[in-house]
Amino acid sequence: MDFSSFLTSLVTSFLIFVVLMLLFAWLSRKEGNSVVYYPNRILKGLDPPASGTRNPFAWIQEALSSTEQDVISMSGFDTAVYFVFLSTVFGILVLSGVVLLALLLPVAATDNSVKVTAATTSNGTFNEFDKLSIGNVKEKSPRLWAFMIATYWVSFVTYYLLWKAYTHVSKLRADALMSPQLKPEQYAVIVRDIPPVPEGLTRKEQVDSYFKAIYPDTFYRSMVVTDNKVVNKIWEELEGYKKKLARAEVIYAQSKTTGKPGGVRPTNKTGFLGLFGKKVDSIEYYNGKINELIPKLESEQKVTLREKQQAAALVFFTSRVTAASAAQSLHAQIVNDWTVVDAPEPRQILWANLPIKFFQRQVRQYVVYAIVALTIVFYMIPIALISAFTTLEQLKKLLPFLKPVLNIDAIKTVLEAYLPQIALIIFLALLPKLLLFLSKAEGIPSLSHAVRASSGKYFYFTVLNVFIGVTVGGTLFNTFKTIQKNPPDYIITLLANSLPGNATFFLTFVALKFFVGYGLELTRIVPLIIYHVKRKYLCKTEAELKAAWFPGELGYATRAPGDLLIVTIVLCYSVIAPLILPFGAAYFGLGWLILRNQALKVYVPAYESYGRMWPHLFVRILAALILYQVTMLGYFGVKKFYYAPFVIPLIILSFIFGFVCSKKFYRFFHDTALEVVCRELKEVPNMELVFRSFIPQSLGSEKFDDDQFEDALSQVSRTTSLV
């Protein structure tokens, strides 16, 4: 990429961001758009700002002046922890940049002894950028000491801020768990791997007798997990017909006001997708289907509760301390019997995973890891192909018939500026659903845990494929013949030289991500268009209208790995090409500002894990730091700097730092500290409500009472969840 292409990419990205900002300022002031730009406030009963009278840029001041408690009250503790992550990385990059830009740019720019090197930052074409990077420093130069000092500075800044963040997040988690607000999950545990039922007992009697013997004073009751596949299907079908009936009734009511006084009764066809089959009166048809399914559902509920009990249960205690102790204790001599773990929120439980046996979970985990590893390996091929198209020279070689088109200056500039970055962003958008599916397939019991596992897989995928794949892949296509002639000697040099050779690619990648990516995030142009199209042509009922504008969650499964990829890129290039640091700082600073606004006004969390995501973020930031240190060790070696081994103590120190943090902090994020849950609540908890909040919706019924199901789930009428 030449200098003009780089400037084109940067300037146009910035202009797009400015246009999107102005578009947001205009659209967010229109009254009909409030449900798109302020749904979180509306759902919490708060009024959106009055349209037309609002300062279009007041959101910036509101985001900057908001406190951590504001974020917690609107979006929960997990969101607050995510902002700790953003601010920590922003601090690392700012403190690193202040020193590195002042120290390294003059050192590199004033060394005129190198005209062209193998380790330029832009494949030898972007000389203006090379002069401000380590590529402009000659081999064995004493100036490399400045870059060595910078490597240490970045590392120690990262250690310090990560330690502060871990301490702060630990306090946040403690505050959340000590909250006087009733949390049903604090009184429950999940029991898996229940042994076969002894003769003469039911499954419920087996579970009750086991836990009554161990916890005679605080055991409350149990809920045996059942196979709900059939009952779920019937319940979903019933709910679907209820929605269709509500829609038909609204259409009928509207027809009375717009047409004949008696109205026109809606009709539909009973065949595939309502396109084929007999034509019937919709209201009568849906009422008939509902009346037919209700007794069918009740019958299946009884069968499910009595005959489809499985080897897993939820056990409830009257004491939070007992529940926390039980989740951390070994209950049976054999590890694959009576496995007890803490219960997640009711809305998080992956019911189908609870009965999966201990050794089956182990096998599933290894199989999933193998599939993910194979996915990474096979995705390397298309990623490497994308990297080969990073330069137009490669495109001309591989597709010579395009030369006349590619030689046009305007097309050449646009393709060099945007093609590789956009291709990568689109390519990565295909992965998250697959990785979340694989994580759930491991047998993980809660949604938040599955999201964390999926996020980890996505991070390693992006680092290995996008970062290392693009870096090494692009160089492999350029130098394959050289490697064939002299493989042993050249491969080591290749690996060290390939990273700086793609600095400008990643610099524009980061710029595109924060200018265009965050601009689209703020504007919410796609959700806005979808909402208005649905409202005008599809939505008839209030429930349909709410579903059209409901914002969903922040999306940690994809957002956090994307951020961590940027952390990895910026850290690894921080000393090699220090100009990337302002771009990295802008990415996290702008992200903090815009996502702060979205957390306060837009997104609604799907679950709450009270900061359990932080150790996973911490480990991956540390992994990025270690990769950066290994990169610098190799690069100093390529520069033939005799003191390159001085980086080795840093790598060892990073592992020690990670080990100390794990021993000091991690256990509290895995288990609940008893001193935290021993605090008394303001009110004595209603244990029956705690129990009911865990009953699956498909098993709740107004007609059931405790006496009917003494040997199964003690089903009672379902009330509103406490969570």
Side-chain angles (χ1 to χ4, degrees):
M1 182 186 291
D2 58 27
F3 188 58
S4 63
S5 296
F6 171 72
L7 283 182
T8 299
S9 174
L10 194 61
V11 171
T12 52
S13 294
F14 176 73
L15 290 176
I16 291 171
F17 176 72
V18 171
V19 170
L20 291 172
M21 284 269 290
L22 295 173
L23 190 62
F24 165 75
W26 176 60
L27 291 173
S28 63
R29 299 177 71 191
K30 294 196 169 293
E31 187 174 352
N33 297 337
S34 59
V35 292
V36 175
Y37 294 106
Y38 308 101
N40 194 4
R41 290 179 58 87
I42 292 171
L43 289 169
K44 285 186 167 54
L46 303 173
D47 294 327
S51 60
T53 61
R54 176 178 168 79
N55 180 346
F57 299 103
W59 67 272
I60 297 176
Q61 176 61 31
E62 291 168 2
L64 291 172
S65 62
S66 64
T67 65
E68 196 166 59
Q69 286 303 315
D70 294 332
V71 174
I72 291 170
S73 65
M74 295 300 293
S75 289
F77 285 90
D78 283 339
T79 305
V81 169
Y82 178 68
F83 282 108
V84 173
F85 159 70
L86 291 179
S87 59
T88 299
V89 176
F90 177 72
I92 291 170
L93 300 184
V94 168
L95 289 178
S96 299
V98 168
V99 173
L100 267 59
L101 292 173
L103 175 66
L104 301 186
L105 294 186
V107 170
T110 55
D111 191 337
N112 299 317
S113 59
V114 180
K115 292 183 179 179
V116 178
T117 71
T120 60
T121 55
S122 54
N123 296 321
T125 61
F126 193 171
N127 295 325
E128 294 85 349
F129 196 77
D130 292 335
K131 291 175 182 178
L132 300 175
S133 72
I134 195 173
N136 202 46
V137 178
K138 68 178 181 179
E139 296 176 352
K140 304 179 183 179
S141 171
R143 291 172 181 253
L144 292 171
W145 272 111
F147 294 88
M148 176 69 74
I149 293 169
T151 304
Y152 268 79
W153 172 254
V154 172
S155 299
F156 281 106
V157 164
T158 306
Y159 299 147
Y160 172 70
L161 291 181
L162 282 180
W163 181 273
K164 281 189 65 177
Y166 222 142
T167 305
H168 179 61
V169 173
S170 295
K171 184 179 182 303
L172 275 181
R173 177 169 168 78
D175 291 342
L177 296 176
M178 287 190 294
S179 168
Q181 183 181 358
L182 179 63
K183 299 177 177 63
E185 64 273 15
Q186 291 187 323
Y187 293 88
V189 295
I190 290 175
V191 182
R192 309 171 84 178
D193 310 311
I194 301 175
V197 182
E199 190 174 348
L201 293 179
T202 64
R203 176 70 76 186
K204 181 172 175 56
E205 290 171 345
Q206 176 196 18
V207 174
D208 287 354
S209 61
Y210 185 84
F211 282 94
K212 278 180 182 177
I214 301 174
Y215 307 99
D217 298 326
T218 53
F219 172 79
Y220 177 64
R221 67 196 300 181
S222 65
M223 176 187 290
V224 176
V225 174
T226 52
D227 182 357
N228 298 338
K229 290 180 183 177
V230 177
V231 75
N232 283 345
K233 185 177 180 181
I234 298 172
W235 182 81
E236 288 168 4
E237 188 178 359
L238 176 61
E239 291 299 306
Y241 281 122
K242 287 180 179 178
K243 291 177 182 177
K244 290 177 180 178
L245 175 62
R247 179 183 176 87
E249 289 175 340
V250 169
I251 293 173
Y252 180 49
Q254 289 176 346
S255 71
K256 293 180 180 179
T257 60
T258 58
K260 300 177 182 178
V264 178
R265 293 181 71 84
T267 60
N268 67 281
K269 293 182 178 180
T270 59
F272 180 71
L273 295 177
L275 301 175
F276 306 98
K278 181 182 177 182
K279 195 172 185 179
V280 296
D281 182 289
S282 296
I283 295 176
E284 291 180 0
Y285 178 73
Y286 295 140
N287 268 317
K289 284 291 185 181
I290 290 170
N291 293 332
E292 177 186 324
L293 285 173
I294 287 176
K296 186 178 177 182
L297 175 64
E298 292 174 353
S299 174
E300 182 57 37
Q301 286 174 332
K302 294 176 183 179
V303 172
T304 298
L305 294 172
R306 291 187 181 275
E307 300 176 9
K308 297 183 179 181
Q309 298 179 17
Q310 298 185 306
L314 278 89
V315 173
F316 298 86
F317 302 95
T318 56
S319 165
R320 296 194 299 175
V321 174
T322 303
S325 301
Q328 303 172 36
S329 302
L330 180 66
H331 285 77
Q333 304 172 49
I334 308 299
V335 70
N336 60 324
D337 282 346
W338 297 104
T339 304
V340 180
V341 296
D342 56 329
E345 295 174 305
R347 59 182 171 174
Q348 283 197 58
I349 297 178
L350 302 177
W351 293 97
N353 283 353
L354 299 188
I356 299 174
K357 290 292 188 179
F358 180 84
F359 288 112
Q360 189 181 350
R361 297 197 298 271
Q362 305 301 310
V363 172
R364 282 173 174 242
Q365 190 177 49
Y366 291 124
V367 170
V368 167
Y369 288 167
I371 292 172
V372 171
L374 290 173
T375 304
I376 290 173
V377 170
F378 284 110
Y379 261 65
M380 268 288 195
I381 297 171
I383 287 286
L385 286 172
I386 289 174
S387 70
F389 284 86
T390 301
T391 62
L392 290 185
E393 294 303 318
Q394 287 296 327
L395 195 60
K396 290 175 183 177
K397 289 178 184 177
L398 296 172
L399 303 172
F401 61 88
L402 292 177
K403 280 185 180 180
V405 178
L406 298 176
N407 286 331
I408 300 173
D409 289 340
I411 294 177
K412 173 185 174 183
T413 300
V414 171
L415 286 177
E416 280 193 331
Y418 288 111
L419 179 63
Q421 293 85 347
I422 292 174
L424 271 179
I425 290 170
I426 294 173
F427 202 70
L428 290 175
L430 303 175
L431 282 170
K433 289 186 182 296
L434 170 65
L435 296 178
L436 184 59
F437 168 78
L438 290 173
S439 296
K440 290 181 178 179
E442 292 181 40
I444 290 171
S446 69
L447 176 61
S448 61
H449 189 177
V451 167
R452 293 196 299 272
S454 170
S455 174
K457 294 177 179 67
Y458 194 49
F459 167 71
Y460 292 116
F461 183 93
T462 54
V463 168
L464 292 171
N465 273 315
V466 178
F467 182 58
I468 297 178
V470 168
T471 299
V472 178
T475 310
L476 282 172
F477 273 88
N478 289 330
T479 59
F480 191 68
K481 290 183 180 178
T482 312
I483 296 173
Q484 284 180 317
K485 293 177 183 177
N486 193 12
D489 297 330
Y490 196 80
I491 287 178
I492 297 173
T493 306
L494 164 69
L495 295 175
N497 287 340
S498 57
L499 185 69
N502 290 277
T504 52
F505 169 83
F506 283 117
L507 197 149
T508 52
F509 179 76
V510 173
L512 186 65
K513 285 275 285 184
F514 73 76
F515 275 140
V516 180
Y518 281 129
L520 290 172
E521 169 68 54
L522 181 66
T523 312
R524 286 179 59 78
I525 192 71
V526 174
L528 181 69
I529 292 171
I530 292 173
Y531 163 68
H532 281 294
V533 169
K534 285 185 174 181
R535 187 183 70 166
K536 186 172 180 63
Y537 299 107
L538 300 175
C539 297
K540 298 296 182 182
T541 67
E542 288 297 322
E544 289 175 340
L545 200 60
K546 181 179 178 180
W549 59 257
F550 193 81
E553 59 174 340
L554 199 58
Y556 302 115
T558 53
R559 194 178 296 278
D563 294 339
L564 288 164
L565 173 63
I566 301 299
V567 173
T568 306
I569 291 170
V570 176
L571 281 180
C572 286
Y573 282 103
S574 59
V575 173
I576 292 172
L579 279 181
I580 202 171
L581 283 167
F583 288 86
Y587 175 88
F588 287 98
L590 195 61
W592 185 95
L593 181 67
I594 289 175
L595 292 177
R596 195 85 162 186
N597 177 78
Q598 306 301 77
L600 292 169
K601 298 167 186 173
V602 178
Y603 291 118
V604 177
Y607 58 81
E608 181 64 78
S609 68
Y610 308 108
R612 279 191 166 180
M613 64 187 293
W614 171 254
H616 298 260
L617 295 172
F618 169 84
V619 166
R620 285 158 184 83
I621 296 173
L622 197 59
L625 181 69
I626 292 171
L627 182 60
Y628 149 74
Q629 292 165 344
V630 170
T631 299
M632 292 312 302
L633 175 63
Y635 196 74
F636 283 130
V638 168
K639 281 290 186 178
K640 299 179 182 178
F641 187 51
Y642 296 126
Y643 302 99
F646 279 23
V647 180
I648 295 175
L650 269 184
I651 300 172
I652 296 171
L653 186 59
S654 293
F655 281 103
I656 294 173
F657 176 75
F659 176 79
V660 170
C661 287
S662 175
K663 291 298 180 184
K664 181 178 178 65
F665 297 111
Y666 178 72
R667 179 72 186 275
F668 177 47
F669 288 83
H670 185 270
D671 299 317
T672 302
L674 301 185
E675 70 172 0
V676 168
V677 291
C678 71
R679 306 291 181 90
E680 293 184 3
L681 297 178
K682 291 182 178 179
E683 298 179 4
V684 177
N686 185 330
M687 291 305 300
E688 194 62 25
L689 292 180
V690 169
F691 175 83
R692 292 177 184 182
S693 68
F694 280 89
I695 299 173
Q697 287 182 307
S698 59
L699 291 176
S701 174
E702 298 288 337
K703 296 184 179 181
F704 295 163
D705 55 43
D706 290 346
D707 296 335
Q708 284 181 285
F709 302 104
E710 292 179 356
D711 60 337
L713 304 181
S714 299
Q715 296 293 344
V716 287
S717 62
R718 181 158 181 83
T719 60
T720 304
S721 173
L722 298 178
V723 183

